[in-house]
Amino acid sequence: MIIVLSRDIRPADKQALTAFLESKGFRLREIQGEQETVLAAVGIVPIDVRQVELLPGVARVIPITSPFKLASREVRKEDTTFPVGPIKVGGPRIVVIAGPCAVESREHILEVARIVKDSGAAMLRGGAYKPRTSPYAFQGLGAEGLAFLKAAGEATGLPVVSEIVSPEHADLFRELVDVLQIGARNMQNFELLKRVGALGKPVLLKRGPAATIQDLLMSAEYLLAHGTEAVMLCERGIRTFETYTRYTLDLSAIPVVKKLSHLPILVDPSHGTGLREKVPPMALAAVAAGADGLTVEVHTDPQAALSDGPQSLYPDQFEKLMRDIQALAPVLGKEVARLPEREPLVLADPSGRVPPAGDLSVGFQGERGAFSEKALLAYFPEGAVGVPHAEFRDVFEAVLTGKVAFGIVPVENTLTGSIHQNYDLLLQYPDLRIVGEKIIRILHHLIGLPSSSLEGIRQVYSHPQALSQCALYLERFPAWEKTPFYDTAGAVAFIAREGRPEAAAIASLEAARAYGMKVLKEGIETNSQNYTRFVIIALGEAAGTLGAPGAIAAGRGANKASLVFATANTPGSLFQALRVLAERSINMVKLESRPIAGKPWEELFYLDVALPEAEEPFRQALEELKGVTEGLRILGIYRS
Ligand code: PEP
Ligand code: MN
């Protein structure tokens, strides 16, 4: 049964409740959800639920109807997520595990590890104990193979995954691997499940070739009941009458599992098809169907592989597959889990504007002297180092992979409106949060070579937005050729590089300084009320996720929150959402709608709200909003 705890349960009541249930023989698991905290009590214990309902601190008691309990969505409404080393599994991420079927030698596993890492794999796989159909086939290198795998993991930073076939090996695996794989043949080896579950480490549980989805979830229940909370399920093909492929990959298991369970589900297209050329299409189909990840066999020389060569991808095939998955991920609102290039930065004081000493690299889009760089220098104290990037997406990617500690991107201009691409990117990179904002005045100057004069100018280069913002001034010089350029500061750099005295650029004072150029005319923008709002983005739990303990506390000192949600396509649904804020006098400072890709005429709403002094009204509002909106996400809680 599920015991929903009152929000204000006293510690003493909670203790009495758990003692009572344990005395009756229940196994208990506390689950903190977004909406409520529940105790899952499992066991075959005859009890009148009213006895529990009447205990202090109990809000209500719900029987669990499915045969699997801890694995069931009934117990946990949100998707389970957990870390495997630096990689987060579950939620809006796609985790790709890659490597050879078997560890073949120290050198080989290291070589494959480097290759799959370079292509973007998040974890390394390799069997050391191989359950083979024939006793005469290669059985794996055993403990030595595990040591080679671990060494390759350490050399590359990739967490490692390997199959355990016997409870006797539990101690060895605990030491040497990050994820214990239970193979298809052992899915119902219950003694193995109990021992592995009790280790408490992450497990990859593969579906048996003749197992139903319910069987798979019952096996997951064994793992959960014995101690681990980190279980990834894996569909790897089932036996059917079809013989062309090695098994029949049951992709419909993905949505079925998603409905029944909160556990992440991966897909193994390598064993599922047994044929190399069928692996990439099925891998992409699995991702499109909602899989939380893949496990893929990759070998440098599949012809010579000691096992499963025919289904192993060549390195360049794997590289292409990863690029395709990268392209597909944003369509699904997901990101591909990546190994950070260094430890994510934890903001010492997310409320303050001063990040911890040390690394202050800040990615921005554009060339040196761009308005983004000006904004970051204004936001961060002395010592921040701006790192230029070609595209906005590159800035997000650099923050995600830890190449820079922060990023800064424009989201809104007072004359030209929102920069939608950055709103979309905020959604596509759910591990990044807004941690601050900076509004700067945009002052445009006409800039030329030190030797240039206004009279000699024939051509003007700048970003189209800057050209349009200076339209009135430019009208005075009808003979000037107006040439759009990708970036304001980039235009200055271009003229400096080309040494063209008859050309000028429209950009900031900083850009003129950065390239040793001369300001020919100051402040040429049509409207002096030209401001751009930038947001500072960072990786990590600094701002927390909705409902996570401390999510709001993490933003203490914060006075603004940015949210995004969709509403049902029914009359008054947006009104219902806004009412939640209005009733608590929470001031909405911005509301913006964006079409949802792939869902014509459905909209996402981006909302900025001023945070009230007290935390509770906002916390309550978030909880209520969850009920009347879809896919509510906090983009950041920060100080403006
Ligand atoms: C494997 O992943 O190497 C393996 C043997 O898979 P399965 O248990 O799915 O056959
Ligand atoms: Mn294999």
Side-chain angles (χ1 to χ4, degrees), residues 101 125 130 271 297 308 311:
C101 178
R125 59 151 289 147
K130 296 303 303 176
H271 293 89
E297 288 185 343
D308 286 346
Q311 69 195 33

Side-chain angles (χ1 to χ4, degrees), residues 363-427:
F364 68 95
Q365 186 273 335
E367 304 250 2
R368 295 232 162 271
F371 286 104
S372 294
E373 190 183 32
K374 180 175 175 179
L376 81 85
L377 293 172
Y379 178 84
F380 287 98
E382 299 273 305
V385 180
V387 183
H389 291 81
E391 307 282 343
F392 290 133
R393 180 180 288 280
D394 300 339
V395 176
F396 281 78
E397 203 56 39
V399 179
L400 181 69
T401 54
K403 284 196 187 107
V404 291
F406 298 91
I408 188 163
V409 290
V411 288
E412 195 180 355
N413 175 269
T414 46
L415 300 185
T416 49
S418 290
I419 292 108
H420 290 126
Q421 194 192 346
N422 286 327
Y423 276 102
D424 293 344
L425 285 164
L426 280 167
L427 270 195

Side-chain angles (χ1 to χ4, degrees), residues 458-474:
R458 298 284 170 270
Q459 194 174 11
V460 181
Y461 291 85
S462 195
H463 190 278
Q465 280 210 356
L467 288 171
S468 76
Q469 288 172 11
C470 301
L472 213 59
Y473 177 77
L474 294 174

Side-chain angles (χ1 to χ4, degrees), residues 101 125 130-131 163 181 183-185 206 236 268 271 297:
C101 178
R125 59 151 289 147
K130 296 303 303 176
E163 177 172 352
Q181 177 172 320
R185 289 156 197 82
K206 300 189 88 175
R236 46 77 72 205
D268 175 350
H271 293 89
E297 288 185 343

